[in-house]
Amino acid sequence: MAKSRSYFGKDIEISFDMSRCIHARNCFLTLPKVFDPAQRPWVQPDNAHAEEIAAMVRTCPSGALQFKRLDGGLEEAPRPINRVTIRENGPVELSGDLEMGGEKFTRMTLCRCGASANKPFCDYAHVEDGFEATGEPAATDKDMDTKIGETLLVKPVPNGPLGLVGPVEVTSGTGTRIARSEKVFLCRCGQSKTKPFCDGSHKAAGFSAPAADTA
């Protein structure tokens, strides 16, 4: 993973990890006076109040943008319900108390087309690859009671699916519940016939994502 670049303001520090950016453009569309790719530097932390910036950064789905308050304000806290959102023709978006490879996260977008060069993270390859997969799959019978406030372990299986261990709710892009469970395996080869879930198609497809890619 590339090293994040930090931009310091009087009241807030903003960090940006280009390798995780999926170009959702939330930052520019919401706060163009702070986030403007046409200016240099493209991040201007003193052009808005720290709380306004922090609120916007929390909407960055990939977690490419992070913040640190320098004025004693509240830092980001994980959302109480771990959630996977299925994006139309795109990645899976995770939010909550997440842990992968021993590192903590609150937001991430992970590849489900199989073409990302930055697995397990999405790198927008689904667009050039012409990936098509609905963001509104049918609900399943996976609906068990889960605990709130516990960590979700994100475990990409080498050459296989994305394993999620811990309480999680899987929803469509519009918020409809698809599944609620404490163990889920999601397709990340792009070939499953039961997307977003794995059906073993990665084996026949020769999907390759070695363990080193999960760190």
Side-chain angles (χ1 to χ4, degrees), residues 200-214:
S201 292
H202 54 274
K203 298 176 183 177
F207 177 66
S208 177
D213 288 345
T214 68

Side-chain angles (χ1 to χ4, degrees), residues 56-156:
M56 194 295 306
V57 170
R58 292 186 187 101
T59 72
C60 172
S62 67
L65 285 170
Q66 301 283 335
F67 70 88
K68 181 178 180 181
R69 296 293 289 266
L70 306 177
D71 59 355
L74 291 176
E75 302 292 352
E76 181 174 6
R79 294 175 184 176
I81 295 178
N82 300 320
R83 178 181 178 184
V84 175
T85 303
I86 309 302
R87 294 301 180 190
E88 185 80 13
N89 301 331
V92 289
E93 176 186 320
L94 280 67
S95 62
D97 184 1
L98 314 173
E99 182 177 325
M100 182 171 69
E103 184 177 354
K104 299 290 286 186
F105 298 82
T106 56
R107 294 168 278 118
M108 59 171 68
T109 47
L110 302 183
C111 174
R112 71 174 179 132
C113 72
S116 174
N118 189 37
K119 297 181 185 71
F121 298 101
C122 170
D123 70 355
Y124 217 58
H126 55 274
V127 175
E128 292 186 4
D129 202 50
F131 178 67
E132 294 185 359
T134 181
E136 300 293 325
T140 72
D141 59 0
K142 300 178 188 294
D143 190 10
M144 62 179 290
D145 289 334
T146 58
K147 297 178 181 179
I148 292 177
E150 294 194 357
T151 300
L152 177 66
L153 298 180
V154 182
K155 297 183 173 183

Side-chain angles (χ1 to χ4, degrees), residues 3 6 13 30-31 45-47 72 76 87-88 120 125 129 134 139 161 163 166 172 196 209:
K3 184 178 180 180
S6 294
E13 174 190 350
T30 305
L31 275 181
D46 287 330
N47 283 1
E76 181 174 6
R87 294 301 180 190
E88 185 80 13
D129 202 50
T134 181
S172 71

Side-chain angles (χ1 to χ4, degrees), residues 81-86 137-146 164 166-172 175-186 196-197:
I81 295 178
N82 300 320
R83 178 181 178 184
V84 175
T85 303
I86 309 302
T140 72
D141 59 0
K142 300 178 188 294
D143 190 10
M144 62 179 290
D145 289 334
T146 58
L164 303 177
V168 63
E169 184 157 325
V170 182
T171 76
S172 71
T176 301
R177 180 188 293 166
I178 300 169
R180 183 173 58 177
S181 183
E182 293 199 352
K183 183 174 286 188
V184 173
F185 291 93
L186 301 178
F197 303 102

